[in-house]
Amino acid sequence: MALCSVRKARGCWSFIRALHKGPAATPAPQKDGVERVFSGIQPTGIPHLGNYLGAIESWVKLQEEYSTVLYSIVDLHSITVPQDPALLQQSILDMTAALLACGINPEKSILFQQSQVPEHTQLSWILTCMVRLPRLQHLHQWKAKAARQKHDGTVGLLTYPVLQAADILCYKSTHVPVGEDQVQHMELVQDLARSFNQKYGEFFPLPKSILTSMKKVKSLRDPSAKMSKSDPDKLATVGITDSPEEIVRKFRKAVTDFTSEVTYEPDSRAGVSNMVAIHAAVSGLSVEEAVRSGAGMDTAHYKLLVADAVIEKFAPIRSEIEKLKKDKDHLKKILLVGSAKAKELAYPVFEEVKKLVGIL
């Protein structure tokens, strides 16, 4: 019995030592001048039209333009608000299926789960120790979310932009595709990289923003607000797996105005302009071409034309998502392999960070 216990103890300590050693073969550090793209998306389940046009569509194109592209399902960011554990697990797999169906190719990019690469949170702590509290409190998204949650805003909600910075910097990323609402957070990322470099020597590149060509997709029911899955009005948001009947119903109920002509005037005709922008984006048309295609139509008929274009765009994606969701083991394997590849890149970067900071 004593001998058995000793063997078990030795096996346990061998396992622990193996964990602390990191990858068996440490990859070579990133060469200067190598461009890396990083972006993340929260596991909110199945993306909606705004997610697709505002981020995912450009992600697919970036796979062809850069040699190293990392896309992370940022599950740690999602728990800044309460989550049901079972639902969160399913949402991670659903988002994986959706990204694959939309064209994210694990052979051309690294698709992985944020929490499976511990360097993200380790670097986040070091960066957190370098940022002043007022800097985070002045970020627009903190003000907006804290106002909605009143006294229920958590420290995680306050500091998640620092984790976001760590997500980017732990790969020495050079480019980050962002929407217009993330520009302020990118400024924080650049400031933290600059502060680290000034204190410890030139190490992190200052990542550049790649602004997506599509502006925010607006809510179908309130064109002054962006489309959001959390919108209490279920007619406001179009999911990429919505049935054709659901899509038609939502566009039929979309808010426009009392002028029947189809024009693109975002400042004065936000609702109709939102229809034109969506039509142009899903059809591969310019705004001018989309307006011309609606010539002679009233807005009621034009909304149905836009609905048909959205249905046509999402039909093959919807079918592929349903197929992928049936094979959970495949989705888990994709994330596991992707996370291992991501760790190979993050590990040597963070090892160097520890040396510079003095904690190795």
Side-chain angles (χ1 to χ4, degrees):
M1 289 293 290
L3 181 60
C4 182
S5 298
V6 168
R7 284 174 179 168
K8 283 183 179 179
R10 284 175 179 169
C12 181
W13 280 110
S14 296
F15 176 71
I16 291 170
R17 282 195 296 271
L19 279 179
H20 283 277
K21 283 180 181 177
T26 303
Q30 178 185 357
K31 296 178 182 177
D32 290 340
V34 172
E35 294 184 326
R36 284 182 183 167
V37 174
F38 176 92
S39 196
I41 189 167
Q42 290 201 30
T44 54
I46 300 298
H48 56 67
L49 177 63
N51 299 140
Y52 180 81
L53 296 178
I56 299 171
E57 191 174 45
S58 68
W59 286 13
V60 174
K61 295 174 183 175
L62 289 170
Q63 294 177 127
E64 308 298 333
E65 298 171 13
Y66 292 87
S67 59
T68 307
V69 182
L70 298 103
Y71 296 134
S72 180
I73 297 175
V74 288
D75 49 346
L76 294 175
H77 288 292
S78 70
I79 61 172
T80 57
V81 295
Q83 298 283 346
D84 175 84
L87 183 59
L88 177 58
Q89 289 176 17
Q90 186 59 51
S91 293
I92 291 168
L93 295 179
D94 286 350
M95 181 59 76
T96 305
L99 292 175
L100 294 172
C102 288
I104 299 302
N105 184 347
E107 299 299 319
K108 296 180 178 180
S109 59
I110 298 172
L111 177 61
F112 71 102
Q113 188 176 338
Q114 178 195 31
S115 62
Q116 292 182 3
V117 183
E119 285 77 7
H120 287 245
T121 49
Q122 292 170 334
L123 179 57
S124 177
W125 176 249
I126 290 173
L127 297 178
T128 298
C129 294
M130 296 177 63
V131 66
R132 301 288 182 182
L133 184 59
R135 181 76 168 85
L136 300 178
Q137 291 173 321
H138 282 94
L139 292 174
H140 172 73
Q141 289 200 7
W142 162 253
K143 289 180 178 178
K145 291 179 179 179
R148 285 198 300 270
Q149 297 187 21
K150 296 184 179 178
H151 298 297
D152 294 329
T154 64
V155 175
L157 190 63
L158 175 68
T159 61
Y160 97 86
V162 184
L163 177 57
Q164 193 174 54
D167 295 336
I168 295 164
L169 295 177
C170 73
Y171 300 101
K172 286 191 167 182
S173 306
T174 57
H175 294 79
V176 183
V178 294
E180 56 187 11
D181 59 337
Q182 288 291 320
V183 170
Q184 196 180 43
H185 284 186
M186 274 303 295
E187 291 172 354
L188 176 65
V189 176
Q190 292 166 342
D191 287 348
L192 284 169
R194 195 176 289 113
S195 296
F196 187 95
N197 292 345
Q198 288 171 350
K199 186 170 184 179
Y200 298 108
E202 288 300 317
F203 183 72
F204 289 119
L206 299 185
K208 298 175 183 176
S209 297
I210 303 174
L211 285 172
T212 55
S213 57
M214 180 69 187
K215 299 294 184 183
K216 290 181 190 176
V217 177
K218 304 297 185 182
S219 160
L220 298 190
R221 300 293 291 165
D222 178 9
S224 67
K226 74 173 183 177
M227 186 174 286
S228 171
K229 184 169 286 189
S230 61
D231 196 313
D233 188 340
K234 299 308 177 186
L235 295 174
T237 303
V238 177
I240 64 176
T241 56
D242 283 355
S243 69
E245 294 76 18
E246 287 175 306
I247 293 172
V248 168
R249 184 166 66 94
K250 289 177 179 181
F251 275 94
R252 198 189 295 275
K253 296 287 187 179
V255 171
T256 50
D257 54 32
F258 297 107
T259 303
S260 61
E261 184 183 5
V262 176
T263 63
Y264 185 74
E265 303 169 68
D267 293 333
S268 57
R269 303 191 69 199
V272 176
S273 297
N274 191 38
M275 295 296 103
V276 172
I278 291 171
H279 185 205
V282 299
S283 303
L285 303 172
S286 67
V287 167
E288 293 76 15
E289 289 170 331
V291 170
R292 282 199 296 272
S293 70
M297 290 185 186
D298 59 26
T299 51
H301 286 91
Y302 182 68
K303 287 192 289 185
L304 297 180
L305 176 67
V306 179
D308 285 342
V310 172
I311 291 168
E312 183 179 353
K313 181 73 173 180
F314 286 155
I317 294 174
R318 181 170 174 250
S319 174
E320 184 65 14
I321 288 173
E322 292 309 310
K323 185 173 77 173
L324 287 165
K325 284 175 66 177
K326 293 176 183 177
D327 192 349
K328 289 187 177 182
D329 288 341
H330 172 66
L331 297 175
K332 290 176 182 177
K333 184 177 179 181
I334 291 286
L335 293 177
L336 197 62
V337 171
S339 297
K341 289 179 180 178
K343 186 171 177 62
E344 283 186 0
L345 297 178
Y347 179 79
V349 173
F350 189 66
E351 287 300 296
E352 196 63 31
V353 167
K354 289 196 293 183
K355 287 180 185 176
L356 292 170
V357 173
I359 59 175
L360 186 63

